[in-house]
């Protein structure tokens, strides 16, 4: 019996190997499903060109924070479950031969929450971009702040924004790619201040999610609230690009920015 993937949007069934080979995009209705950071790196970077940076910087429980579980246990479980060392992977890579600094967030690691290590890895990456005079590209995916790190988590908004400001002052381009979902502190900091903001189709990109907004204002929201197709009409993003075309589009954009 073949292992099929059933699309929850259009109901079609696809051989799982074909679905994975299509970078987890339904070949019938184009719904974009979650992919992990390592698969994304394969998709965006030239083969064998990714050189991970700051991998030795890892989280620890400096507040001794426990909600239903200790934070240290949550970190351990997230690592085991996600095959990631943190909610972002950063490094140097080539895109069709052009060197870039690339960061890829992963919702699979504690909901892509922005703790101190996410901020510090992005700082490392933007400094790497400045030192090497290369473009910065960040794939965003986040539920927001990492509450287990308290105010330190919120400080990463100011930290990442000031890193990007230094990069911009150096005259280097920065492209952010919004993937589903990008909300909270990430949407309110580095995701939003790129020179070009690309979004995958139907990706949620907002500060507070629709459920929270609905509960707060006690009104119904448009069905496309916060989605790419509405955000582009409102000028919140610059372009909607299918996942399998993102590498080609980024390549064209960086060639324009770098005048090569
Ligand atoms: Zn489908």
């Amino acid at each position: 019996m073949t292992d099929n993937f059933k699309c929850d949007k259009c109901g079609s069934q696809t051989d799982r190997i074909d679905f994975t080979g299509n970078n987890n995009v339904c070949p019938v209705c184009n719904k974009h499903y979650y992919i992990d950071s390592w698969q994304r790196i394969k998709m965006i970077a030239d083969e064998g060109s990714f050189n991970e940076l700051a991998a030795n910087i890892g989280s620890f429980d400096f507040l001794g924070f426990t909600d239903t579980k200790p934070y240290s246990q949550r970190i351990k479980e997230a690592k085991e479950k996600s095959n990631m060392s943190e909610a972002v992977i950063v490094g140097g890579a080539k895109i069709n031969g052009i060197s870039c600094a690339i960061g890829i967030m992963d919702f699979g690691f504690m909901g892509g929450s922005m703790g101190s290590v996410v901020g510090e890895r992005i700082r490392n990456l933007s400094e790497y971009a400045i030192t090497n005079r290369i473009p910065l590209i960040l794939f965003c995916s986040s539920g927001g702040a990492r509450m287990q790190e308290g105010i330190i988590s919120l400080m990463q908004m100011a930290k990442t924004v000031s890193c990007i400001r230094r990069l911009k002052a150096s005259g280097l381009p920065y492209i952010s790619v919004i993937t589903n979902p990008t909300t909270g502190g990430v949407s309110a900091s580095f995701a939003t201040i790129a020179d070009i903001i690309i979004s995958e189709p139907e990706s949620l990109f907002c500060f507070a999610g629709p459920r929270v907004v609905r509960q707060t204002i006690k009104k119904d929201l448009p069905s496309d609230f916060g989605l790419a197709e509405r955000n582009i009409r409102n000028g919140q993003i610059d372009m909607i690009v299918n996942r399998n075309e993102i590498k080609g589009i980024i390549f064209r954009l960086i060639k324009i920015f770098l005048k090569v």
Side-chain angles (χ1 to χ4, degrees):
M1 201 176 104
T2 53
D3 179 19
N4 281 344
F5 170 80
K6 184 163 189 250
C7 176
D8 65 20
K9 184 176 180 191
C10 72
S12 66
Q13 298 208 19
T14 312
D15 189 298
R16 193 166 288 277
I17 292 167
D18 294 339
F19 174 71
T20 309
N22 200 33
N23 288 315
N24 297 7
V25 177
C26 174
V28 178
C29 73
N30 200 38
K31 177 166 176 176
H32 285 49
Y33 287 86
Y34 165 82
I35 61 170
D36 67 34
S37 289
W38 296 112
Q39 198 176 343
R40 245 184 222 290
I41 285 167
K42 267 194 210 156
M43 184 191 98
I44 191 77
D46 296 352
E47 198 176 345
S49 72
F50 184 71
N51 173 30
E52 191 176 1
L53 299 169
N56 59 332
I57 302 172
S59 294
F60 72 101
D61 182 13
F62 47 79
L63 295 177
F65 191 96
T66 300
D67 49 283
T68 53
K69 293 178 197 175
Y71 178 36
S72 53
Q73 190 183 334
R74 286 195 185 277
I75 295 169
K76 188 168 170 279
E77 287 174 4
K79 283 181 182 171
E80 286 164 5
K81 192 178 128 217
S82 66
N83 195 26
M84 293 273 293
S85 58
E86 246 300 329
V88 70
I89 292 174
V90 301
K94 285 194 159 61
I95 295 180
N96 295 341
I98 299 182
S99 294
C100 297
I102 297 179
I104 303 196
M105 298 192 74
D106 197 322
F107 200 78
F109 190 101
M110 295 189 73
S113 52
M114 181 159 63
S116 52
V117 171
V118 170
E120 181 60 12
R121 286 189 180 186
I122 288 173
R123 187 194 68 79
N124 266 264
L125 184 69
S126 65
E127 292 295 318
Y128 176 80
I130 293 167
T131 304
N132 293 286
R133 306 282 313 155
I134 54 176
L136 174 67
I137 297 149
L138 290 175
F139 283 75
C140 305
S141 180
S142 180
R146 188 167 301 171
M147 65 170 197
Q148 292 86 351
E149 295 191 13
I151 191 73
I152 304 295
S153 174
L154 298 182
M155 286 164 63
Q156 306 313 310
M157 294 166 69
K159 177 171 172 169
T160 52
V161 167
S162 72
C163 292
I164 303 297
R165 197 172 168 190
R166 267 173 56 77
L167 181 99
K168 287 191 176 183
S170 305
L172 295 166
Y174 163 40
I175 298 168
S176 75
V177 183
I178 306 302
T179 73
N180 186 49
T182 298
T183 65
V186 169
S187 76
S189 63
F190 63 85
T192 311
I193 55 169
D195 296 305
I196 302 280
I197 305 176
I198 295 171
S199 174
E200 288 191 338
E202 296 180 285
S203 293
L204 182 70
F205 178 38
C206 54
F207 182 68
R211 185 175 49 83
V212 173
V213 175
R214 199 178 290 118
Q215 281 170 1
T216 306
I217 66 171
K218 300 192 169 38
K219 280 185 185 165
D220 279 340
L221 298 175
S223 58
D224 58 355
F225 174 89
L227 299 185
E229 292 69 18
R230 187 178 186 84
N231 285 339
I232 200 155
R233 292 202 302 275
N234 292 336
Q236 179 77 6
I237 58 175
D238 296 302
M239 49 188 8
I240 300 173
V241 180
N242 286 326
R243 185 174 291 162
N244 290 321
E245 292 158 15
I246 286 178
K247 180 174 181 176
I249 293 286
I250 289 178
F251 175 63
R252 284 167 59 189
L253 287 171
I254 55 181
K255 280 208 324 185
I256 292 167
F257 278 117
L258 298 177
K259 302 190 178 72
V260 291

